[in-house]
Amino acid sequence: MRLTDRRKIDQNREKACPSSLVRPPGKSCDEYPFASTWQGAKHSGGEYSRRMINARQNTDAGKALKGFYTYSRVLEGDRFLVWIR
Protein backbone atom coordinates (compact mmCIF):
# COMPACT_ATOMS: atom_id res chain seq x y z
CA MET A 1 0.00 0.00 0.00
CA ARG A 2 1.23 3.44 -0.91
CA LEU A 3 2.66 5.63 1.84
CA THR A 4 2.98 9.36 1.25
CA ASP A 5 4.05 10.74 4.65
CA ARG A 6 7.66 11.88 4.05
CA ARG A 7 8.64 11.36 7.70
CA LYS A 8 7.42 7.75 7.69
CA ILE A 9 9.09 7.08 4.34
CA ASP A 10 12.36 8.38 5.79
CA GLN A 11 11.88 6.11 8.83
CA ASN A 12 11.39 3.10 6.54
CA ARG A 13 14.51 4.00 4.59
CA GLU A 14 16.61 4.64 7.71
CA LYS A 15 15.69 1.26 9.20
CA ALA A 16 16.49 -0.68 6.01
CA CYS A 17 19.46 1.42 4.92
CA PRO A 18 20.79 3.30 7.96
CA SER A 19 23.02 6.27 7.27
CA SER A 20 25.76 4.48 9.25
CA LEU A 21 25.89 1.72 6.61
CA VAL A 22 29.03 2.02 4.49
CA ARG A 23 28.31 2.63 0.82
CA PRO A 24 31.06 1.61 -1.57
CA PRO A 25 31.96 4.17 -4.27
CA GLY A 26 29.30 4.28 -6.98
CA LYS A 27 26.84 2.20 -4.94
CA SER A 28 23.72 3.04 -2.98
CA CYS A 29 21.55 1.04 -0.63
CA ASP A 30 18.35 -0.31 -2.14
CA GLU A 31 15.58 -1.64 0.06
CA TYR A 32 12.58 -3.86 -0.55
CA PRO A 33 9.72 -3.49 0.11
CA PHE A 34 9.87 0.11 -1.05
CA ALA A 35 10.26 2.78 1.63
CA SER A 36 7.27 4.54 0.05
CA THR A 37 4.91 1.74 1.13
CA TRP A 38 3.29 0.70 4.39
CA GLN A 39 5.15 -2.59 3.90
CA GLY A 40 8.48 -0.76 4.30
CA ALA A 41 11.06 -1.83 6.88
CA LYS A 42 9.92 0.32 9.82
CA HIS A 43 6.14 0.37 9.53
CA SER A 44 5.34 -3.19 8.46
CA GLY A 45 6.99 -4.98 11.34
CA GLY A 46 7.85 -7.66 8.81
CA GLU A 47 10.89 -8.79 6.92
CA TYR A 48 12.77 -6.64 4.44
CA SER A 49 15.91 -6.81 2.39
CA ARG A 50 18.64 -4.43 1.33
CA ARG A 51 21.50 -4.55 -1.10
CA MET A 52 24.13 -2.21 -2.41
CA ILE A 53 23.51 -1.58 -6.09
CA ASN A 54 24.68 0.79 -8.78
CA ALA A 55 23.73 4.27 -7.55
CA ARG A 56 22.63 5.53 -10.96
CA GLN A 57 20.38 2.52 -11.52
CA ASN A 58 18.88 2.95 -8.07
CA THR A 59 18.14 6.62 -8.75
CA ASP A 60 16.58 5.76 -12.11
CA ALA A 61 14.42 3.04 -10.52
CA GLY A 62 13.22 5.52 -7.89
CA LYS A 63 12.26 7.97 -10.62
CA ALA A 64 10.41 5.21 -12.47
CA LEU A 65 8.50 4.27 -9.30
CA LYS A 66 7.55 7.90 -8.71
CA GLY A 67 6.41 8.12 -12.34
CA PHE A 68 4.28 5.00 -11.88
CA TYR A 69 2.64 6.49 -8.78
CA THR A 70 1.86 9.69 -10.67
CA TYR A 71 0.77 8.16 -13.99
CA SER A 72 -1.40 5.51 -12.33
CA ARG A 73 -2.64 7.93 -9.67
CA VAL A 74 -1.64 5.64 -6.81
CA LEU A 75 -2.64 7.59 -3.70
CA GLU A 76 -2.09 7.15 0.05
CA GLY A 77 -3.31 3.70 1.11
CA ASP A 78 -3.90 2.48 -2.45
CA ARG A 79 -2.89 -1.10 -3.11
CA PHE A 80 -0.78 -2.00 -6.13
CA LEU A 81 1.11 -5.02 -7.43
CA VAL A 82 4.77 -5.30 -8.32
CA TRP A 83 5.54 -7.62 -11.23
CA ILE A 84 9.14 -8.64 -11.64
CA ARG A 85 10.26 -9.84 -15.03
Side-chain angles (χ1 to χ4, degrees):
M1 280 191 312
R2 173 86 190 274
L3 172 64
T4 58
D5 183 309
R6 175 56 50 195
R7 186 179 59 84
K8 289 180 177 164
I9 291 169
D10 290 344
Q11 290 171 342
N12 278 338
R13 189 168 288 118
E14 182 61 24
K15 178 161 184 178
C17 294
S19 55
S20 61
L21 195 63
V22 176
R23 284 138 171 94
K27 301 286 186 179
S28 68
C29 184
D30 186 39
E31 78 284 337
Y32 189 85
F34 308 126
S36 59
T37 67
W38 282 101
Q39 291 74 30
K42 169 81 174 172
H43 294 286
S44 71
E47 295 184 10
Y48 61 91
S49 67
R50 70 172 172 233
R51 183 173 181 143
M52 294 297 163
I53 64 169
N54 178 285
R56 175 68 176 224
Q57 290 175 345
N58 199 13
T59 298
D60 289 347
K63 289 177 184 176
L65 180 60
K66 184 177 179 180
F68 162 74
Y69 287 152
T70 301
Y71 179 80
S72 300
R73 200 167 187 271
V74 181
L75 304 174
E76 173 68 35
D78 285 353
R79 296 176 184 272
F80 62 94
L81 295 175
V82 175
W83 292 36
I84 301 170
R85 32 181 181 143

